[in-house]
Amino acid sequence: MSPIGLIATWLRALLTGWFRAWHIPAVFVDILAWIVGGVVILLMITLIALILIYVLRKVAAYIQGRIGPERVGPYGLFQTVMDALKLLQKEDIVPAGADKILHTLGPVVFFFVCTMGYLVIPWESQATIARQVDLNIGVLFLLAFSSLGVIGVLMGGWGSNNKWSLLGALRGAAQMISYEIPMLLALVCVVLMAGSLSLEVITEQQKALGLLSWNLWKPWLWLPMILFLITAAAEINVTPFDIPEAESELVAGYHTEYSGMKFALYFLAEFSNNFLVGLIFAVLFLGGWSSPFGHPDPLYLPEFLWLVGKAMVVVLFLMWVRWTLPRLRVDQLMALCWKLLLPAAFVSLVIVSIVGLYL
Amino acid sequence: MGPQHPSTHGVLRLILTIDGEKVRSVVPDIGYLHSSLEKIAEQLDYRQYLPYADRYDYLNAMGNELCYVRAVETLLGIEPTPRCQWIRVMMAEMNRIASHLVYYGALAIDTGATTVLLYCFREREMLLNLFEAAAGQRLMYHYFRVGGLRNDLPPDFCEGLRAFCKVFPRMVAEYDKLLTKNRIFRSRTESVGYLSPETALAYGVTGPCLRGAGVPYDVRRADPYYVYPELEFDVPTYTESDSMARHLVRQEEMLQSVRILEQCLDHLPGGEVNVKVPRRLKPDPGEVYARVESPRGELGCYLVSDGSDHPYRLHMRTPSYYNLQAYPEMCTDAWIADLVAILGSVDIMLGDVDR
Amino acid sequence: MRKQDDTTFLALLGLIAEGARSICVGLHITAINFFRPSVCERYPRRDGKPDWQPRPGYRGDFALISDAERPGGLRCIACLQCQNICPDKCIHITPTGKGKERHPKQFLIDAGLCMYCWLCVEVCPVAALTMTPDYETSTDRPEKLIRTLEQLRERGKEYPEPLKVEMARADATSVAPTERRGD
Amino acid sequence: MSDQSQEPQAPEEVEETPAVVPLPDEWQAVVGDLLAEGNSVDQGGLRRGVPELVTTPDQVLGLLERLRSLDEPYNRLTDMCGADLGDHLQVLYFLCQGYTGKLLVVKVNLARDGEVPTATGLWPVANWPEREIMEMFGMTFTGHPEPAHLLLPEGWVGYPLRKDYVYDREHEWTRPDPMREDPEQALGLEEEDSE
């Protein structure tokens, strides 16, 4: 059991004891645990997003021969923090003629949805952040919530009453819904091999020989892996799939009209989504929390650090791609999905089924 | 779209009719940057107007100066010294590279690849440093004077330029691999923004847009001025007539300009750069039409003198103005995303359009 | 990716391979550049090194050259030539004194109107006006952009002579041989 | 009808005689043809290396068409501009012989409120320059497809490039800002635009 797990168990035991002493029904322990878990996740997401934004800026700067943030704090570490504070102070502008309710709800829904994904991530061998979520359907849960993100985008785009926002939202909707399908199929391949929808089980299966038992090394899973990477990049709108917020065409796409706190929400959600993809990729193909040096970990590092580290590698790769490639056009994006990725996903499903049958 | 939009390259407004993501019609609405430069010319004397010539196409200030100075000197009957001519050609070519680099980066941004812009500006910086050393400014040079130059080249100029010529082709190869050869970029630009040679003729399109349509027309060859007849360089043409062809023409042109620069450095003669001109420039009455090849196409200057010390009428034929007119033709059957990419490949300069 | 209506399966595979290759080449180039030193300079510098300085002859701010022997302490003879040549009409001189005593009582340059063309410096018969390499001239109010006689005189104290561009030797043939300046 | 006797009124014609070179022989033939076909062409002569023809508004279109159908056709309109020559206005067509760089100027003299037939039928490129000349000089190109202002805002008073134009502060033009005056209506308009 890891430090997080220990602390969580200890807190739970403490609370149960107190509540019993105060004659409060045990249900409230669960409720409190949910609240605390939620707050922890929110803080963590914010923190991760802040760090990621900083890393993104630095990576972009180095790739582009620049320096990047370097003024606020050592090496500009607090630059994103200051930016976040600045955003919080900013006036919240709702354009005249906008649908106020939708305009407000858009970022909230989007942020909510992307936080939900974090619930099923197996951070440690035993503890997930919220044990209450049924782990058996982990993959399904992720997919369900990632497809809900569309609603947040659409709400924001529609509610802004701006041509670019609307175009961006519609593009986003089309893109997310289309790419859902090959992504699902790619995930199904992994699930087929693992025989379980639970992310925890998938991780467990990759831990035995450390690095060598990762799904990454299984040739029949390479195609699903590439497919997942592409479709996930499309789901989270990073270049070359950033057409919903294509800056050169749609100004800022669906969040053109957002400012201040609401913009910060979209922004945070985007980056936490980015990280979530890294996490899922790490769980599915890079052995999750398991150490690359075999099990048990010879380095005795906390397990969640391995997971976060692996996810960071994936995120860095996505950033690298992001600063290299141009953007696809809408029709090309759709053609890529329906004409290339979807057949490829079916092919890979067939391959994996056959391999699974005879292995 | 516009007038304030990240990728209209200035303050251009495009009135679009769209059907979903498909563009049905495009009507450019220009004039937001109109600064009555032609009227200003009538109030100033020939020498004073020269800094304004920079302001037409601010990425090609040297080329504009070249055009205006040529017109005035023809009117006055002045022939600049050989060294001056070589330096002017050199400056114009350097500015052509600098301008194409901005184009290159801007097109990359328009198609979503941010990094290339920074690389392009990295190389452009070397040129701007040279300009700064020679002319004292980094964008609006005002380096040419009627009858010569502001000053001769500074001592380390030629070496700096040689270093640039050495490095630059390698960098272009890098851009080529990073952007031009990229599959996504190619699918964004190939068979997009078709401009047939006939349409180009009808719309008076010149410059790389025309050469991208397969017509090897270059004022430097068709109506050579200064030392261009002595220089060896090719006029690159591509027959695909799409955005990619225009892009390749510019990429090739940068290398050709480097070739010209190297020849300039080898042949740069000594001697004075300035010829004696009267204190008050009073050309005989007459009119003149001077043409040069700007990075965007044929740049013409129609200048009428009535014998006084200021131009009676000055008119600049600015290439972007005419190239932009053909833009709606290129946008038939385009997507919204293409609009931006096509506009980038036409490489208009709003200062040049609105004047 | 492109229109693939009439492409065969093999051609499609070739296209995919080519696309993947081009993407990898691009990634390779950005990776190389990741490890190249940054071309950006820190500004303003905090590490003790001097800030970026423009080349001599840079057209930044204005200064009037001082001359202790002349009235007003300036070399300027208020001949109004700069005022007349200025294409923007941004120089306003109020002359005072007669004959050899003539000097500017007030000398206003509206830097907000100026387009830094250097014509005024060129035309000056006594080399009294110069442009300095100061490039940090932005302010928050347009009024502050108007340079007065006092400001110009103050600036001029740092510049005993007008700044001139170094010239290559006019008789130099092809290459101007001097030591290379590090960029 | 602008023949040589009227020409000197143009300022640049006054002392220009030394620079005027007679047209070369091949041009004499062409101009002779043009004259024979009933065109009225003033052989301006070679001025600074550029041949020019001066004609009248009612014949310019025919002349341009004729030039376009020569054996070596002047089929590229590279530039158009106007000029105010004091008592009359002038429209200049700069024609190129294909892409050879050979230039020819056709000048049309017309009264200060005169009319010229539009050349947009021959060259679409004439569209914007003609609009610009119209708003700058106040002449009319008859038959122009969209004679709206191009560079100047709608409602501009006067023709700025005319010599007698005086900038009038009273007519200083400011863009009406519908958002400031009536946001509701402005938004209604905007919705119509975006649809």
Side-chain angles (χ1 to χ4, degrees), chain B residues 133-146:
Chain B
Q137 282 287 22
R138 298 170 73 79
L139 196 63
M140 305 287 182
Y141 311 111
H142 191 215
Y143 180 56
F144 297 171
R145 295 289 188 274
V146 176

Side-chain angles (χ1 to χ4, degrees), chain B residues 48 132 135 141-142 145 268, chain C residues 55 59 85 117 122 168 173:
Chain B
Q48 285 176 329
E132 186 203 318
Y141 311 111
H142 191 215
R145 295 289 188 274
L268 190 62
Chain C
R55 318 288 158 111
R59 310 200 289 265
I85 193 100
C117 64
E122 233 164 54
T173 43

Side-chain angles (χ1 to χ4, degrees), chain B residues 54-300:
Chain B
D54 286 343
R55 267 95 182 149
Y56 280 91
D57 178 353
Y58 38 86
L59 289 181
N60 180 37
M62 289 284 187
N64 287 301
E65 285 173 24
L66 183 69
C67 185
Y68 175 74
V69 163
R70 254 194 92 207
V72 177
E73 283 175 357
T74 321
L75 210 51
L76 283 163
I78 298 174
E79 173 82 5
T81 64
R83 183 174 171 84
C84 172
Q85 292 191 10
W86 280 94
I87 294 176
R88 281 184 182 175
V89 166
M90 207 155 83
M91 288 294 171
E93 292 302 322
M94 281 166 69
N95 215 328
R96 186 185 314 279
I97 298 178
S99 167
H100 279 347
L101 279 174
V102 175
Y103 146 80
Y104 211 104
L107 181 62
I109 286 253
D110 288 345
T111 51
T114 336
T115 309
V116 183
L117 177 86
L118 276 299
Y119 294 168
C120 290
F121 271 53
R122 183 179 64 196
E123 268 66 71
R124 183 167 173 259
E125 197 64 15
M126 298 172 76
L127 284 175
L128 292 193
N129 282 338
L130 290 172
F131 282 137
E132 186 203 318
Q137 282 287 22
R138 298 170 73 79
L139 196 63
M140 305 287 182
Y141 311 111
H142 191 215
Y143 180 56
F144 297 171
R145 295 289 188 274
V146 176
L149 303 167
R150 172 182 179 245
N151 48 262
D152 203 338
L153 296 177
D156 53 355
F157 184 88
C158 292
E159 293 207 1
L161 190 54
R162 264 187 207 287
F164 173 80
C165 290
K166 222 166 155 186
V167 174
F168 188 62
R170 268 212 318 273
M171 292 304 172
V172 173
E174 203 166 89
Y175 309 151
D176 180 62
K177 277 196 253 171
L178 179 56
L179 187 71
T180 316
K181 291 270 192 313
N182 187 291
R183 182 71 246 166
I184 299 176
F185 182 74
R186 284 176 57 187
S187 62
R188 283 296 303 277
T189 49
E190 276 175 3
S191 59
V192 162
Y194 183 76
L195 175 77
S196 69
E198 293 76 35
T199 325
L201 179 71
Y203 278 95
V205 174
T206 48
C209 297
L210 181 64
R211 293 191 281 275
V215 183
Y217 174 70
D218 188 323
V219 181
R220 290 176 293 175
R221 281 280 181 250
D223 183 13
Y225 46 98
Y226 291 158
V227 298
Y228 279 111
E230 299 169 38
L231 294 167
E232 274 179 35
F233 65 97
D234 302 330
V235 178
T237 49
Y238 287 82
T239 47
E240 287 83 1
S241 315
D242 52 10
S243 295
M244 186 47 124
R246 296 190 278 273
H247 176 75
L248 287 171
V249 165
R250 289 203 181 83
Q251 185 175 314
E252 185 62 33
E253 251 177 41
M254 290 199 279
L255 296 173
Q256 294 300 334
S257 288
V258 171
R259 252 178 93 186
I260 295 177
L261 285 178
E262 278 168 348
Q263 292 172 48
C264 284
L265 285 171
D266 290 340
H267 295 292
L268 190 62
E272 288 293 316
V273 290
N274 285 321
V275 294
K276 282 238 177 297
V277 286
R279 259 188 90 73
R280 287 184 80 77
L281 300 176
K282 275 195 173 180
D284 294 334
E287 50 194 299
V288 64
Y289 189 75
R291 291 184 288 175
V292 300
E293 179 76 14
S294 102
R296 286 165 187 79
E298 179 181 330
L299 180 68

Side-chain angles (χ1 to χ4, degrees), chain D residues 164-184:
Chain D
D164 53 5
Y165 176 74
V166 185
Y167 183 61
D168 187 359
R169 288 228 170 254
E170 264 182 38
H171 287 120
E172 187 163 8
W173 180 87
T174 48
R175 179 179 289 275
D177 188 353
M179 282 303 276
R180 196 165 293 158
E181 286 154 16
D182 189 357
E184 292 294 318

Side-chain angles (χ1 to χ4, degrees), chain C residues 43 47 52 56 61 64 68 70 87 96 110 119 125 130 141 173 178:
Chain C
Y43 179 84
D47 47 10
W52 175 82
D61 210 344
L64 281 173
R70 288 209 16 91
T96 181
D110 187 348
L119 280 173
T130 184
R141 302 178 63 147
T173 43
T178 36

Side-chain angles (χ1 to χ4, degrees), chain A residues 216-237:
Chain A
L216 182 67
W217 308 120
K218 296 175 182 155
W220 53 89
L221 283 181
W222 285 350
L223 193 53
M225 184 174 72
I226 293 166
L227 286 178
F228 176 74
L229 205 58
I230 294 174
T231 50
E235 283 287 307
I236 58 172
N237 311 332

